[in-house]
Amino acid sequence: MADKYVVAFQRDHLGDGPEDLGKILIKAFINTLPETPNAPTALIFQNAGVLLACEGTPVFESLKKLEDRGIQILSCGTCLDYYQKKEALVVGRVSNMYEIVEMLSKAGHVLYP
């Protein structure tokens, strides 16, 4: 269980500095995941993080590679509704808070970039 982890994205950028830098960093983070030998078991997108799994995302190719490897990609349905992006989801599937909480609670580790 120690090598099992989930990555939970709560925004569409990384860090608290300039947002344009944060967007560069989150793109680098996600683009690195398919190349790591110990890939996560799931990616969870919440709040503005759901925008990373929608049309126009700069990380579509990397997310698709991860999904093709069997890594679950879940986006919060309430968040997609809030941003009016449910129909724009291009990778992964719509989830709910019950499933998200269950997945986070069962993960060996949770990363919040």
Side-chain angles (χ1 to χ4, degrees):
M1 189 86 166
D3 61 340
K4 305 275 188 210
Y5 70 100
V6 169
V7 183
F9 297 88
Q10 297 179 331
R11 46 194 172 189
D12 63 347
H13 60 279
L14 194 149
D16 293 324
E19 192 170 327
D20 56 338
L21 173 60
K23 288 184 183 280
I24 293 167
L25 295 174
I26 201 72
K27 182 178 175 184
F29 183 94
I30 292 172
N31 287 339
T32 301
L33 287 175
E35 309 306 321
T36 60
N38 183 24
T41 56
L43 304 180
I44 297 172
F45 295 95
Q46 299 171 292
N47 207 320
V50 299
L51 301 174
L52 293 166
C54 291
E55 289 174 350
T57 178
V59 292
F60 174 78
E61 298 286 327
S62 293
L63 293 177
K64 190 66 181 145
K65 282 182 194 175
L66 292 165
E67 184 177 49
D68 290 346
R69 285 176 51 190
I71 294 162
Q72 292 189 70
I73 299 177
L74 308 176
S75 290
C76 167
T78 302
C79 304
L80 289 166
D81 285 340
Y82 178 84
Y83 289 105
Q84 299 178 353
K85 293 289 188 177
K86 197 171 268 184
E87 301 302 320
L89 189 67
V90 292
V91 64
R93 64 180 175 82
V94 177
S95 186
N96 59 51
M97 200 54 70
Y98 181 85
E99 183 179 25
I100 290 170
V101 168
E102 186 175 4
M103 186 164 289
L104 291 172
S105 68
K106 290 181 179 178
H109 300 284
V110 179
L111 300 180
Y112 290 94

